[in-house]
Amino acid sequence: MIHFTSAQRQFAEAGIDGIRFASIWGENGNGSDFIEVMADARFPLHDHGGPEEILMISGRIRFRDLELSAGDYLKTGPGEQHDAQALEDSLFFLAHVSSAVIKE
């Protein structure tokens, strides 16, 4: 069992301007994280070797032609390449199987 409180959440830089993450757990490329994206920041086009699940907590982000806002859920599978552009300061929960593979 993993128990993680909001008080334990510590964000680190993701290596992309305007994007930070707080890892909850990770093992062999699988894991879950909170992702904080500042307005106008963009995560480049990427793919995953397995499914990725996103639950928006706050803000608005565009994934390909979809716009997600607080409470929205998105699941993608391998081969479903996408980027992510924050339309405003945003926070989402990410669960993933395999690491992201940047395509740009």
Side-chain angles (χ1 to χ4, degrees):
M1 179 184 299
I2 295 174
H3 177 245
F4 193 88
T5 67
S6 59
Q8 293 171 299
R9 191 180 312 155
Q10 294 187 17
F11 285 91
E13 298 299 321
I16 300 170
D17 288 341
I19 300 176
R20 301 185 325 150
F21 71 97
S23 184
I24 295 173
W25 75 274
E27 184 176 287
N28 300 322
N30 305 329
S32 59
D33 311 276
F34 284 97
I35 309 293
E36 182 180 70
V37 186
M38 307 313 294
D40 297 323
R42 181 178 171 272
F43 195 91
L45 183 68
H46 64 283
D47 195 358
H48 298 267
E52 173 184 64
E53 295 179 278
I54 296 166
L55 177 63
M56 290 296 298
I57 296 170
S58 64
R60 291 183 311 125
I61 294 182
R62 180 173 293 123
F63 292 89
R64 292 190 305 200
D65 56 345
L66 300 173
E67 186 176 309
L68 303 182
S69 54
D72 290 350
Y73 169 85
L74 175 66
K75 180 179 180 187
T76 64
E80 295 183 271
Q81 296 180 27
H82 63 91
D83 61 355
Q85 174 82 41
L87 304 175
E88 59 190 59
D89 291 352
S90 302
L91 178 68
F92 62 90
F93 177 80
L94 170 70
H96 56 91
V97 174
S98 185
S99 299
V101 178
I102 305 297
K103 298 295 183 172
E104 296 183 341

